[in-house]
Amino acid sequence: MTLQLNDASLLKYQAYIDGHWVSADNGKTLTVTNPVDDSPLAEVASCGTEETRRMIEAANRAQPGWAATTAKQRATLLRDWYNLIIEHQEDLARILTAEQGKPLSEARGEILYGASYLEWFAEEAKRLYGDLIPAPASDKRLMVLKQPVGVVACITPWNFPCAMLARKIAPAIAAGCAV
């Protein structure tokens, strides 16, 4: 089955590790099939332990710089991501339908639902204020400072991949955590 996409570059076959699209170290691939007719859609990198370790190490190296970005920079990045999803929503829905077998109308809805998390957290990134809490004594002041906690790993279900990834990645990025 050939997907009819306006922008074929949206369909990726490799893993994104440390700023680069790469194949699995051992060259293995996994066939992604259309659940409706079992036809092959793509051969994607079948990554394992070593690739996963490199992803985590790359995220750890990126974390200090990412945590140092301003709330405005993180908000802008999330908003740009939202805009890209909206710009390519039809192609993304077609890819999702082919991978999932869900109706195109439901896939379109999921793409918009996922994008809504990016839009929401793009605005929330600007509001990561600390708090002053009433102290137990008049000579004390309690202040809460919100800071990134570190690298976030996302494990998502198969049935809503776009929405669940956005639901996990967007707040992490807004808070200054590498993912």
Coordinates of all heavy atoms in Angstrom, one line a residue, residues 7-70:
D7 N 3.2 15.6 1.8 CA 4.6 15.7 2.2 C 5.1 14.4 2.7 O 5.0 14.0 3.9 CB 4.7 16.8 3.3 CG 6.2 17.0 3.7 OD1 7.1 16.3 3.2 OD2 6.4 18.0 4.5
A8 N 5.7 13.6 1.8 CA 6.2 12.3 2.1 C 7.3 12.3 3.2 O 7.6 11.2 3.8 CB 6.7 11.6 0.9
S9 N 8.0 13.4 3.4 CA 9.0 13.5 4.4 C 8.5 13.3 5.8 O 9.3 13.1 6.8 CB 9.8 14.8 4.3 OG 9.0 15.9 4.7
L10 N 7.2 13.4 6.0 CA 6.6 13.2 7.4 C 6.7 11.8 7.8 O 6.7 11.5 9.0 CB 5.2 13.7 7.4 CG 4.9 15.1 7.2 CD1 3.4 15.4 7.0 CD2 5.5 16.0 8.3
L11 N 6.8 10.8 6.9 CA 6.9 9.4 7.3 C 8.4 9.1 7.5 O 9.2 9.2 6.5 CB 6.3 8.6 6.2 CG 6.1 7.1 6.5 CD1 5.2 6.9 7.7 CD2 5.5 6.4 5.3
K12 N 8.8 8.7 8.7 CA 10.2 8.5 9.0 C 10.4 7.0 9.2 O 9.5 6.3 9.7 CB 10.5 9.2 10.3 CG 10.4 10.7 10.3 CD 11.3 11.3 9.3 CE 11.2 12.8 9.2 NZ 11.9 13.4 8.1
Y13 N 11.6 6.5 8.9 CA 12.0 5.1 8.9 C 13.1 4.8 9.9 O 13.4 3.7 10.2 CB 12.4 4.7 7.5 CG 11.3 5.0 6.5 CD1 11.4 6.1 5.7 CD2 10.3 4.1 6.2 CE1 10.4 6.4 4.7 CE2 9.3 4.3 5.3 CZ 9.4 5.5 4.6 OH 8.4 5.8 3.6
Q14 N 13.7 5.9 10.4 CA 14.8 5.7 11.3 C 14.5 6.3 12.7 O 13.5 6.9 12.8 CB 16.1 6.5 10.7 CG 16.6 5.8 9.4 CD 17.7 6.6 8.8 OE1 17.6 7.8 8.6 NE2 18.9 6.0 8.7
A15 N 15.4 6.0 13.6 CA 15.2 6.5 15.0 C 16.0 7.8 15.1 O 17.0 8.0 14.4 CB 15.8 5.5 16.0
Y16 N 15.5 8.7 15.9 CA 16.1 10.0 16.1 C 16.9 9.9 17.4 O 16.4 9.9 18.5 CB 15.0 11.1 16.2 CG 15.6 12.5 16.1 CD1 16.1 13.0 14.9 CD2 15.7 13.4 17.2 CE1 16.6 14.3 14.8 CE2 16.2 14.6 17.1 CZ 16.7 15.1 15.9 OH 17.2 16.4 15.8
I17 N 18.2 9.9 17.2 CA 19.1 9.8 18.4 C 20.2 10.9 18.3 O 20.9 11.0 17.3 CB 19.8 8.4 18.4 CG1 18.8 7.3 18.4 CG2 20.7 8.3 19.6 CD1 19.4 5.9 18.4
D18 N 20.2 11.7 19.4 CA 21.3 12.7 19.5 C 21.4 13.6 18.3 O 22.4 13.9 17.9 CB 22.6 12.0 19.8 CG 23.6 12.9 20.5 OD1 23.2 14.0 21.0 OD2 24.8 12.6 20.6
G19 N 20.2 14.0 17.8 CA 20.2 15.0 16.8 C 20.3 14.4 15.4 O 20.4 15.2 14.4
H20 N 20.3 13.1 15.2 CA 20.5 12.5 13.9 C 19.5 11.4 13.7 O 19.1 10.6 14.6 CB 21.9 11.9 13.8 CG 23.0 12.9 14.0 ND1 23.3 13.8 13.1 CD2 23.7 13.1 15.1 CE1 24.3 14.6 13.6 NE2 24.5 14.2 14.8
W21 N 19.0 11.2 12.5 CA 18.2 10.1 12.1 C 19.1 8.9 11.8 O 20.0 9.0 10.9 CB 17.3 10.4 10.9 CG 16.3 11.4 11.2 CD1 16.2 12.7 10.9 CD2 15.0 11.1 11.9 NE1 15.1 13.3 11.3 CE2 14.3 12.3 12.0 CE3 14.5 10.0 12.4 CZ2 13.1 12.5 12.6 CZ3 13.2 10.1 13.1 CH2 12.6 11.3 13.1
V22 N 18.9 7.8 12.5 CA 19.9 6.6 12.4 C 19.1 5.3 12.3 O 18.0 5.2 12.8 CB 20.9 6.6 13.6 CG1 21.7 7.8 13.6 CG2 20.1 6.3 14.9
S23 N 19.8 4.3 11.6 CA 19.2 3.0 11.6 C 19.6 2.3 12.9 O 20.4 2.7 13.6 CB 19.8 2.2 10.4 OG 19.4 2.9 9.2
A24 N 19.0 1.1 13.1 CA 19.4 0.3 14.2 C 20.8 -0.1 14.0 O 21.3 -0.3 12.9 CB 18.5 -0.9 14.3
D25 N 21.6 -0.2 15.1 CA 23.0 -0.6 15.1 C 23.2 -1.9 14.3 O 24.2 -2.0 13.6 CB 23.6 -0.8 16.5 CG 23.6 0.6 17.3 OD1 23.5 1.6 16.6 OD2 23.9 0.5 18.5
N26 N 22.4 -2.9 14.5 CA 22.5 -4.2 13.8 C 21.8 -4.2 12.5 O 21.8 -5.2 11.8 CB 22.0 -5.3 14.7 CG 20.5 -5.1 15.0 OD1 19.8 -4.3 14.5 ND2 20.0 -5.9 16.0
G27 N 21.3 -3.1 12.0 CA 20.6 -3.0 10.7 C 19.2 -3.6 10.7 O 18.6 -3.6 9.6
K28 N 18.8 -4.2 11.8 CA 17.4 -4.8 11.8 C 16.3 -3.8 11.6 O 16.4 -2.6 12.0 CB 17.2 -5.6 13.1 CG 18.0 -6.9 13.2 CD 17.6 -7.6 14.4 CE 18.4 -8.9 14.5 NZ 18.0 -9.7 15.7
T29 N 15.3 -4.2 10.9 CA 14.1 -3.4 10.8 C 12.9 -4.1 11.2 O 12.9 -5.4 11.4 CB 13.9 -3.0 9.3 OG1 13.8 -4.2 8.5 CG2 15.1 -2.2 8.8
L30 N 11.8 -3.4 11.4 CA 10.5 -3.9 11.8 C 9.5 -3.5 10.7 O 9.5 -2.3 10.3 CB 10.1 -3.3 13.2 CG 8.7 -3.7 13.7 CD1 8.7 -5.1 14.1 CD2 8.4 -2.8 14.9
T31 N 8.8 -4.4 10.2 CA 7.8 -4.1 9.2 C 6.5 -3.6 9.9 O 5.9 -4.2 10.8 CB 7.4 -5.3 8.4 OG1 8.6 -5.9 7.8 CG2 6.4 -5.0 7.3
V32 N 6.1 -2.4 9.5 CA 4.9 -1.8 10.0 C 3.8 -2.2 8.9 O 4.0 -1.9 7.7 CB 5.0 -0.3 10.1 CG1 3.6 0.3 10.5 CG2 6.1 0.1 11.1
T33 N 2.7 -2.8 9.4 CA 1.7 -3.3 8.4 C 0.4 -2.6 8.7 O 0.1 -2.1 9.8 CB 1.5 -4.8 8.5 OG1 1.1 -5.1 9.9 CG2 2.8 -5.5 8.2
N34 N -0.4 -2.5 7.7 CA -1.7 -1.9 7.7 C -2.6 -3.0 8.4 O -2.7 -4.1 7.9 CB -2.2 -1.6 6.3 CG -3.6 -1.0 6.4 OD1 -4.5 -1.3 7.1 ND2 -3.8 0.0 5.5
P35 N -3.2 -2.7 9.5 CA -4.0 -3.8 10.2 C -5.3 -4.2 9.4 O -5.9 -5.2 9.7 CB -4.4 -3.1 11.6 CG -4.2 -1.7 11.3 CD -3.2 -1.5 10.3
V36 N -5.7 -3.4 8.5 CA -6.9 -3.7 7.7 C -6.6 -4.9 6.8 O -7.4 -5.8 6.7 CB -7.4 -2.5 6.9 CG1 -8.5 -2.8 6.0 CG2 -7.8 -1.4 7.9
D37 N -5.5 -4.8 6.0 CA -5.2 -5.9 5.0 C -3.8 -6.5 5.2 O -3.4 -7.3 4.3 CB -5.4 -5.3 3.6 CG -4.5 -4.1 3.3 OD1 -3.5 -3.9 4.1 OD2 -4.7 -3.5 2.3
D38 N -3.1 -6.1 6.2 CA -1.8 -6.7 6.5 C -0.8 -6.3 5.5 O 0.3 -7.0 5.4 CB -1.9 -8.2 6.7 CG -0.8 -8.7 7.7 OD1 -0.5 -7.9 8.7 OD2 -0.4 -9.8 7.6
S39 N -1.0 -5.3 4.7 CA 0.0 -4.9 3.7 C 1.1 -4.1 4.3 O 0.8 -3.4 5.3 CB -0.7 -4.1 2.6 OG -1.2 -2.9 3.1
P40 N 2.3 -4.3 3.8 CA 3.4 -3.5 4.5 C 3.3 -2.0 4.2 O 3.0 -1.6 3.0 CB 4.6 -4.1 3.8 CG 4.2 -4.8 2.6 CD 2.7 -5.1 2.8
L41 N 3.5 -1.2 5.2 CA 3.5 0.2 5.0 C 5.0 0.8 5.0 O 5.3 1.7 4.3 CB 2.8 0.9 6.2 CG 1.3 0.7 6.3 CD1 0.8 1.2 7.6 CD2 0.6 1.3 5.1
A42 N 5.8 0.2 5.9 CA 7.2 0.7 6.0 C 8.1 -0.3 6.7 O 7.6 -1.1 7.4 CB 7.2 2.1 6.8
E43 N 9.3 -0.1 6.5 CA 10.4 -0.9 7.3 C 11.0 0.2 8.1 O 11.7 1.1 7.6 CB 11.4 -1.5 6.3 CG 10.8 -2.6 5.5 CD 10.5 -3.9 6.3 OE1 11.2 -4.2 7.3 OE2 9.5 -4.6 6.0
V44 N 10.9 0.1 9.5 CA 11.5 1.1 10.4 C 12.6 0.4 11.2 O 12.7 -0.8 11.4 CB 10.4 1.7 11.3 CG1 9.3 2.4 10.5 CG2 9.8 0.6 12.2
A45 N 13.5 1.3 11.7 CA 14.6 0.8 12.5 C 14.1 0.0 13.7 O 13.2 0.5 14.4 CB 15.4 2.0 13.0
S46 N 14.6 -1.1 14.0 CA 14.2 -2.0 15.1 C 15.3 -1.8 16.2 O 16.3 -2.6 16.3 CB 14.1 -3.4 14.7 OG 13.7 -4.2 15.9
C47 N 15.2 -0.8 17.0 CA 16.2 -0.4 18.0 C 16.1 -1.3 19.2 O 15.1 -1.8 19.5 CB 16.1 1.1 18.3 SG 16.4 2.2 17.0
G48 N 17.3 -1.4 19.9 CA 17.3 -2.2 21.1 C 18.0 -1.5 22.2 O 17.9 -0.2 22.3
T49 N 18.6 -2.2 23.1 CA 19.2 -1.7 24.3 C 20.2 -0.6 24.1 O 20.2 0.4 24.8 CB 19.8 -2.9 25.2 OG1 18.8 -3.9 25.4 CG2 20.4 -2.4 26.5
E50 N 21.2 -0.9 23.2 CA 22.2 0.1 23.0 C 21.7 1.4 22.4 O 22.2 2.5 22.8 CB 23.3 -0.5 22.1 CG 24.2 -1.6 22.7 CD 24.7 -1.1 24.1 OE1 25.3 0.0 24.2 OE2 24.6 -1.9 25.1
E51 N 20.8 1.3 21.5 CA 20.2 2.6 20.9 C 19.5 3.3 22.0 O 19.6 4.6 22.1 CB 19.3 2.3 19.8 CG 20.0 1.7 18.5 CD 20.0 0.2 18.5 OE1 19.8 -0.4 19.6 OE2 20.3 -0.4 17.5
T52 N 18.7 2.6 22.8 CA 18.0 3.2 23.9 C 18.9 3.9 24.9 O 18.7 5.0 25.4 CB 17.1 2.2 24.7 OG1 16.3 1.6 23.7 CG2 16.3 2.8 25.8
R53 N 20.0 3.2 25.2 CA 21.0 3.8 26.1 C 21.6 5.1 25.6 O 21.7 6.1 26.3 CB 22.2 2.8 26.4 CG 23.2 3.2 27.4 CD 24.2 2.2 27.8 NE 23.5 1.2 28.6 CZ 23.3 -0.1 28.3 NH1 23.7 -0.5 27.1 NH2 22.7 -0.9 29.1
R54 N 21.9 5.1 24.3 CA 22.4 6.3 23.6 C 21.4 7.5 23.7 O 21.7 8.6 23.8 CB 22.8 6.1 22.2 CG 24.1 5.3 22.1 CD 24.9 5.4 20.8 NE 24.0 5.4 19.6 CZ 23.6 4.3 19.0 NH1 24.0 3.1 19.5 NH2 22.9 4.4 17.9
M55 N 20.1 7.1 23.5 CA 19.0 8.1 23.6 C 19.0 8.8 25.0 O 18.9 10.0 25.1 CB 17.7 7.5 23.3 CG 17.4 7.1 21.8 SD 15.8 6.3 21.7 CE 16.1 5.3 20.2
I56 N 19.1 7.9 26.0 CA 19.1 8.4 27.4 C 20.3 9.3 27.6 O 20.2 10.4 28.2 CB 18.9 7.2 28.3 CG1 17.6 6.6 28.2 CG2 19.1 7.7 29.8 CD1 17.5 5.2 28.9
E57 N 21.5 8.8 27.2 CA 22.7 9.6 27.4 C 22.6 10.9 26.7 O 23.1 12.0 27.2 CB 23.9 8.8 26.9 CG 24.2 7.6 27.8 CD 25.2 6.6 27.2 OE1 25.6 6.8 26.0 OE2 25.6 5.6 27.9
A58 N 22.1 10.9 25.5 CA 22.0 12.2 24.7 C 21.0 13.2 25.5 O 21.3 14.4 25.6 CB 21.5 11.9 23.3
A59 N 19.9 12.6 26.0 CA 19.0 13.5 26.7 C 19.6 14.0 28.0 O 19.4 15.2 28.3 CB 17.7 12.7 27.0
N60 N 20.4 13.2 28.7 CA 21.1 13.6 29.9 C 22.1 14.7 29.5 O 22.2 15.7 30.3 CB 21.8 12.5 30.6 CG 20.9 11.7 31.5 OD1 20.2 12.3 32.2 ND2 21.0 10.4 31.4
R61 N 22.8 14.6 28.4 CA 23.8 15.7 28.0 C 23.0 17.0 27.7 O 23.5 18.1 27.9 CB 24.6 15.2 26.8 CG 25.7 14.3 27.2 CD 26.7 14.1 26.0 NE 26.1 13.8 24.7 CZ 25.7 12.6 24.4 NH1 25.9 11.5 25.1 NH2 25.2 12.4 23.2
A62 N 21.8 16.8 27.1 CA 21.1 18.0 26.7 C 20.4 18.7 27.8 O 20.0 19.9 27.7 CB 20.0 17.6 25.6
Q63 N 20.1 18.0 28.9 CA 19.3 18.5 30.0 C 19.7 19.8 30.6 O 18.9 20.7 30.7 CB 19.1 17.4 31.1 CG 18.3 17.9 32.3 CD 16.9 18.3 31.8 OE1 16.2 17.6 31.0 NE2 16.4 19.4 32.4
P64 N 21.0 20.0 30.9 CA 21.4 21.3 31.5 C 21.1 22.5 30.6 O 20.6 23.5 31.0 CB 22.9 21.1 31.8 CG 23.1 19.7 31.9 CD 22.1 19.0 30.9
G65 N 21.4 22.3 29.3 CA 21.2 23.4 28.4 C 19.7 23.6 28.2 O 19.2 24.8 28.1
W66 N 18.9 22.5 28.1 CA 17.5 22.7 27.9 C 16.8 23.3 29.2 O 16.0 24.2 29.0 CB 16.9 21.3 27.7 CG 15.4 21.4 27.3 CD1 14.4 20.9 28.1 CD2 14.8 22.1 26.2 NE1 13.2 21.2 27.5 CE2 13.4 21.9 26.4 CE3 15.3 22.8 25.2 CZ2 12.5 22.5 25.4 CZ3 14.4 23.4 24.3 CH2 13.1 23.2 24.4
A67 N 17.3 22.9 30.3 CA 16.7 23.5 31.6 C 17.0 25.0 31.6 O 16.3 25.8 32.3 CB 17.3 22.8 32.8
A68 N 18.1 25.4 31.0 CA 18.5 26.8 31.0 C 17.8 27.7 30.0 O 17.9 28.9 30.0 CB 20.0 27.0 30.8
T69 N 17.0 27.1 29.1 CA 16.2 27.9 28.2 C 15.1 28.7 28.9 O 14.7 28.2 30.0 CB 15.5 27.0 27.1 OG1 14.6 26.1 27.7 CG2 16.5 26.3 26.2
T70 N 14.7 29.8 28.4 CA 13.7 30.6 29.0 C 12.3 30.0 28.8 O 12.1 29.2 27.8 CB 13.7 32.0 28.5 OG1 13.3 32.0 27.1 CG2 15.1 32.7 28.7

